[in-house]
Short mmCIF file of all heavy atoms in Angstrom, two decimals:
data_model
loop_
_atom_site.label_atom_id
_atom_site.label_comp_id
_atom_site.label_asym_id
_atom_site.label_seq_id
_atom_site.Cartn_x
_atom_site.Cartn_y
_atom_site.Cartn_z
N PRO L 855 8.44 -27.39 -20.65
CA PRO L 855 7.77 -27.16 -19.36
C PRO L 855 7.29 -25.72 -19.24
O PRO L 855 8.01 -24.78 -19.58
CB PRO L 855 8.84 -27.50 -18.33
CG PRO L 855 10.14 -27.32 -19.04
CD PRO L 855 9.87 -27.68 -20.47
N ARG L 856 6.08 -25.58 -18.75
CA ARG L 856 5.48 -24.27 -18.56
C ARG L 856 4.68 -24.28 -17.26
O ARG L 856 4.51 -25.33 -16.63
CB ARG L 856 4.55 -23.91 -19.73
CG ARG L 856 5.27 -23.65 -21.05
CD ARG L 856 6.07 -22.37 -20.99
NE ARG L 856 6.73 -22.03 -22.25
CZ ARG L 856 7.98 -22.27 -22.51
NH1 ARG L 856 8.75 -22.92 -21.62
NH2 ARG L 856 8.53 -21.89 -23.65
N LEU L 857 4.19 -23.11 -16.87
CA LEU L 857 3.31 -22.98 -15.71
C LEU L 857 1.94 -22.56 -16.18
O LEU L 857 1.80 -21.58 -16.94
CB LEU L 857 3.87 -21.96 -14.71
CG LEU L 857 5.19 -22.30 -14.04
CD1 LEU L 857 5.63 -21.16 -13.13
CD2 LEU L 857 5.08 -23.60 -13.24
N GLY L 858 0.90 -23.29 -15.76
CA GLY L 858 -0.46 -22.91 -16.09
C GLY L 858 -0.85 -21.62 -15.37
O GLY L 858 -0.43 -21.38 -14.23
N ASN L 859 -1.65 -20.80 -16.03
CA ASN L 859 -2.07 -19.52 -15.44
C ASN L 859 -3.37 -19.63 -14.65
O ASN L 859 -3.76 -18.67 -13.99
CB ASN L 859 -2.23 -18.46 -16.53
CG ASN L 859 -0.93 -17.73 -16.80
OD1 ASN L 859 -0.09 -17.59 -15.92
ND2 ASN L 859 -0.77 -17.26 -18.03
N GLY L 860 -4.05 -20.78 -14.75
CA GLY L 860 -5.29 -20.95 -14.01
C GLY L 860 -6.50 -20.38 -14.72
O GLY L 860 -6.38 -19.64 -15.70
N VAL L 861 -7.67 -20.72 -14.21
CA VAL L 861 -8.93 -20.25 -14.79
C VAL L 861 -10.03 -20.37 -13.75
O VAL L 861 -9.97 -21.23 -12.86
CB VAL L 861 -9.28 -21.05 -16.07
CG1 VAL L 861 -9.54 -22.52 -15.75
CG2 VAL L 861 -10.48 -20.44 -16.79
N LEU L 862 -11.02 -19.51 -13.85
CA LEU L 862 -12.22 -19.57 -13.03
C LEU L 862 -13.42 -19.50 -13.96
O LEU L 862 -13.46 -18.64 -14.86
CB LEU L 862 -12.26 -18.40 -12.04
CG LEU L 862 -13.55 -18.19 -11.25
CD1 LEU L 862 -13.80 -19.36 -10.29
CD2 LEU L 862 -13.51 -16.87 -10.48
N VAL L 863 -14.41 -20.38 -13.76
CA VAL L 863 -15.63 -20.37 -14.57
C VAL L 863 -16.82 -20.16 -13.64
O VAL L 863 -16.95 -20.85 -12.62
CB VAL L 863 -15.81 -21.68 -15.36
CG1 VAL L 863 -17.02 -21.57 -16.28
CG2 VAL L 863 -14.55 -21.99 -16.18
N LEU L 864 -17.67 -19.21 -14.01
CA LEU L 864 -18.85 -18.88 -13.22
C LEU L 864 -20.11 -19.19 -14.02
O LEU L 864 -20.19 -18.89 -15.22
CB LEU L 864 -18.86 -17.39 -12.85
CG LEU L 864 -17.60 -16.85 -12.17
CD1 LEU L 864 -17.73 -15.35 -11.95
CD2 LEU L 864 -17.34 -17.58 -10.87
N ASP L 865 -21.08 -19.79 -13.35
CA ASP L 865 -22.40 -20.02 -13.93
C ASP L 865 -23.34 -18.96 -13.38
O ASP L 865 -23.61 -18.93 -12.18
CB ASP L 865 -22.89 -21.42 -13.58
CG ASP L 865 -24.29 -21.69 -14.08
OD1 ASP L 865 -24.59 -21.30 -15.22
OD2 ASP L 865 -25.10 -22.28 -13.33
N ALA L 866 -23.80 -18.06 -14.23
CA ALA L 866 -24.78 -17.05 -13.87
C ALA L 866 -26.12 -17.44 -14.48
O ALA L 866 -26.19 -18.33 -15.33
CB ALA L 866 -24.33 -15.68 -14.36
N PRO L 867 -27.22 -16.80 -14.06
CA PRO L 867 -28.53 -17.23 -14.56
C PRO L 867 -28.65 -17.30 -16.08
O PRO L 867 -29.28 -18.21 -16.61
CB PRO L 867 -29.47 -16.17 -13.97
CG PRO L 867 -28.81 -15.75 -12.71
CD PRO L 867 -27.34 -15.77 -13.02
N ALA L 868 -28.05 -16.33 -16.79
CA ALA L 868 -28.23 -16.30 -18.24
C ALA L 868 -26.93 -16.42 -19.01
O ALA L 868 -26.95 -16.37 -20.24
CB ALA L 868 -28.93 -14.99 -18.65
N GLU L 869 -25.81 -16.59 -18.32
CA GLU L 869 -24.54 -16.57 -19.05
C GLU L 869 -23.46 -17.39 -18.35
O GLU L 869 -23.56 -17.69 -17.16
CB GLU L 869 -24.05 -15.13 -19.23
CG GLU L 869 -23.84 -14.41 -17.92
CD GLU L 869 -23.61 -12.92 -18.11
OE1 GLU L 869 -22.76 -12.55 -18.95
OE2 GLU L 869 -24.27 -12.12 -17.42
N LEU L 870 -22.46 -17.74 -19.13
CA LEU L 870 -21.27 -18.41 -18.66
C LEU L 870 -20.15 -17.38 -18.67
O LEU L 870 -19.99 -16.63 -19.63
CB LEU L 870 -20.94 -19.57 -19.60
CG LEU L 870 -19.97 -20.65 -19.13
CD1 LEU L 870 -20.47 -21.35 -17.88
CD2 LEU L 870 -19.76 -21.67 -20.25
N VAL L 871 -19.39 -17.33 -17.58
CA VAL L 871 -18.35 -16.30 -17.44
C VAL L 871 -17.01 -16.99 -17.20
O VAL L 871 -16.88 -17.83 -16.30
CB VAL L 871 -18.65 -15.33 -16.29
CG1 VAL L 871 -17.59 -14.24 -16.21
CG2 VAL L 871 -20.04 -14.72 -16.45
N PHE L 872 -16.01 -16.62 -18.01
CA PHE L 872 -14.65 -17.14 -17.86
C PHE L 872 -13.75 -16.02 -17.36
O PHE L 872 -13.76 -14.91 -17.91
CB PHE L 872 -14.11 -17.65 -19.20
CG PHE L 872 -14.91 -18.76 -19.80
CD1 PHE L 872 -15.90 -18.49 -20.72
CD2 PHE L 872 -14.68 -20.08 -19.45
CE1 PHE L 872 -16.65 -19.51 -21.29
CE2 PHE L 872 -15.42 -21.11 -20.01
CZ PHE L 872 -16.41 -20.82 -20.92
N VAL L 873 -12.96 -16.32 -16.35
CA VAL L 873 -11.98 -15.37 -15.83
C VAL L 873 -10.60 -16.03 -15.93
O VAL L 873 -10.42 -17.16 -15.47
CB VAL L 873 -12.27 -15.00 -14.37
CG1 VAL L 873 -11.25 -13.96 -13.87
CG2 VAL L 873 -13.69 -14.48 -14.20
N SER L 874 -9.67 -15.33 -16.54
CA SER L 874 -8.33 -15.89 -16.70
C SER L 874 -7.32 -14.76 -16.76
O SER L 874 -7.67 -13.58 -16.66
CB SER L 874 -8.25 -16.75 -17.97
OG SER L 874 -8.28 -15.92 -19.13
N HIS L 875 -6.06 -15.15 -16.94
CA HIS L 875 -5.01 -14.15 -17.16
C HIS L 875 -4.81 -13.89 -18.65
O HIS L 875 -3.87 -13.19 -19.02
CB HIS L 875 -3.71 -14.61 -16.53
CG HIS L 875 -3.71 -14.55 -15.03
ND1 HIS L 875 -3.58 -13.37 -14.34
CD2 HIS L 875 -3.83 -15.52 -14.09
CE1 HIS L 875 -3.61 -13.61 -13.04
NE2 HIS L 875 -3.76 -14.90 -12.86
N GLY L 876 -5.67 -14.42 -19.49
CA GLY L 876 -5.56 -14.22 -20.94
C GLY L 876 -4.90 -15.38 -21.63
O GLY L 876 -5.47 -15.99 -22.51
N GLU L 877 -3.70 -15.72 -21.23
CA GLU L 877 -2.98 -16.84 -21.82
C GLU L 877 -3.09 -18.05 -20.88
O GLU L 877 -3.08 -17.90 -19.66
CB GLU L 877 -1.51 -16.49 -22.03
CG GLU L 877 -1.28 -15.23 -22.83
CD GLU L 877 -1.88 -15.31 -24.23
OE1 GLU L 877 -1.96 -16.43 -24.76
OE2 GLU L 877 -2.25 -14.26 -24.77
N PRO L 878 -3.17 -19.28 -21.43
CA PRO L 878 -3.35 -20.44 -20.57
C PRO L 878 -2.10 -20.82 -19.79
O PRO L 878 -2.18 -21.47 -18.75
CB PRO L 878 -3.74 -21.55 -21.54
CG PRO L 878 -3.13 -21.14 -22.84
CD PRO L 878 -3.21 -19.64 -22.86
N MET L 879 -0.92 -20.44 -20.30
CA MET L 879 0.33 -20.84 -19.65
C MET L 879 1.39 -19.78 -19.90
O MET L 879 1.23 -18.88 -20.72
CB MET L 879 0.78 -22.20 -20.18
CG MET L 879 1.16 -22.19 -21.63
SD MET L 879 1.51 -23.83 -22.29
CE MET L 879 0.16 -24.00 -23.45
N ARG L 880 2.49 -19.90 -19.18
CA ARG L 880 3.58 -18.95 -19.31
C ARG L 880 4.89 -19.62 -18.95
O ARG L 880 4.91 -20.67 -18.32
CB ARG L 880 3.35 -17.75 -18.38
CG ARG L 880 3.32 -18.13 -16.91
CD ARG L 880 3.13 -16.92 -16.01
NE ARG L 880 3.02 -17.30 -14.61
CZ ARG L 880 4.05 -17.55 -13.82
NH1 ARG L 880 5.28 -17.46 -14.30
NH2 ARG L 880 3.87 -17.89 -12.55
N SER L 881 5.98 -18.99 -19.34
CA SER L 881 7.30 -19.43 -18.90
C SER L 881 7.44 -19.14 -17.41
O SER L 881 6.93 -18.14 -16.91
CB SER L 881 8.38 -18.69 -19.68
OG SER L 881 9.64 -18.86 -19.06
N LYS L 882 8.15 -20.00 -16.71
CA LYS L 882 8.31 -19.79 -15.28
C LYS L 882 9.16 -18.57 -14.97
O LYS L 882 9.20 -18.12 -13.83
CB LYS L 882 8.93 -21.04 -14.64
CG LYS L 882 10.34 -21.36 -15.12
CD LYS L 882 10.86 -22.62 -14.44
CE LYS L 882 12.27 -22.98 -14.91
NZ LYS L 882 12.78 -24.19 -14.23
N PHE L 883 9.81 -18.01 -15.99
CA PHE L 883 10.66 -16.84 -15.79
C PHE L 883 9.91 -15.52 -15.95
O PHE L 883 10.44 -14.45 -15.67
CB PHE L 883 11.85 -16.86 -16.76
CG PHE L 883 12.70 -18.08 -16.62
CD1 PHE L 883 12.68 -19.08 -17.59
CD2 PHE L 883 13.50 -18.27 -15.50
CE1 PHE L 883 13.46 -20.21 -17.47
CE2 PHE L 883 14.29 -19.40 -15.37
CZ PHE L 883 14.26 -20.37 -16.36
N PHE L 884 8.67 -15.59 -16.44
CA PHE L 884 7.92 -14.36 -16.72
C PHE L 884 6.57 -14.41 -16.02
O PHE L 884 5.73 -15.26 -16.33
CB PHE L 884 7.72 -14.18 -18.23
CG PHE L 884 9.01 -14.04 -18.99
CD1 PHE L 884 9.54 -15.12 -19.67
CD2 PHE L 884 9.69 -12.84 -19.00
CE1 PHE L 884 10.73 -15.01 -20.36
CE2 PHE L 884 10.89 -12.72 -19.70
CZ PHE L 884 11.41 -13.80 -20.38
N PRO L 885 6.32 -13.50 -15.07
CA PRO L 885 5.02 -13.48 -14.41
C PRO L 885 3.93 -12.99 -15.36
O PRO L 885 4.21 -12.35 -16.37
CB PRO L 885 5.23 -12.49 -13.25
CG PRO L 885 6.32 -11.59 -13.74
CD PRO L 885 7.23 -12.45 -14.57
N SER L 886 2.68 -13.29 -15.01
CA SER L 886 1.55 -12.86 -15.81
C SER L 886 0.86 -11.69 -15.12
O SER L 886 0.51 -11.77 -13.95
CB SER L 886 0.56 -14.01 -16.01
OG SER L 886 -0.58 -13.57 -16.72
N HIS L 887 0.68 -10.60 -15.86
CA HIS L 887 -0.01 -9.43 -15.33
C HIS L 887 -1.36 -9.20 -16.01
O HIS L 887 -2.01 -8.19 -15.76
CB HIS L 887 0.86 -8.18 -15.50
CG HIS L 887 2.19 -8.27 -14.81
ND1 HIS L 887 2.32 -8.26 -13.44
CD2 HIS L 887 3.45 -8.39 -15.32
CE1 HIS L 887 3.60 -8.35 -13.11
NE2 HIS L 887 4.30 -8.44 -14.23
N GLY L 888 -1.76 -10.11 -16.87
CA GLY L 888 -2.98 -9.90 -17.64
C GLY L 888 -4.24 -10.36 -16.92
O GLY L 888 -4.20 -11.16 -15.98
N SER L 889 -5.36 -9.86 -17.39
CA SER L 889 -6.68 -10.25 -16.90
C SER L 889 -7.63 -10.28 -18.07
O SER L 889 -7.61 -9.38 -18.92
CB SER L 889 -7.16 -9.26 -15.85
OG SER L 889 -8.52 -9.49 -15.52
N LEU L 890 -8.46 -11.32 -18.15
CA LEU L 890 -9.44 -11.45 -19.22
C LEU L 890 -10.74 -11.98 -18.64
O LEU L 890 -10.75 -13.05 -18.03
CB LEU L 890 -8.93 -12.39 -20.31
CG LEU L 890 -9.90 -12.74 -21.44
CD1 LEU L 890 -10.31 -11.51 -22.22
CD2 LEU L 890 -9.29 -13.78 -22.38
#
Side-chain angles (χ1 to χ4, degrees):
R856 291 291 183 261
L857 295 177
N859 272 331
V861 64
L862 171 66
V863 185
L864 307 176
D865 176 42
E869 60 191 310
L870 196 60
V871 183
F872 300 94
V873 182
S874 71
H875 287 284
E877 306 300 331
M879 66 187 114
R880 62 179 177 82
S881 166
K882 64 181 180 179
F883 301 108
F884 298 100
S886 176
H887 300 291
S889 170
L890 174 62

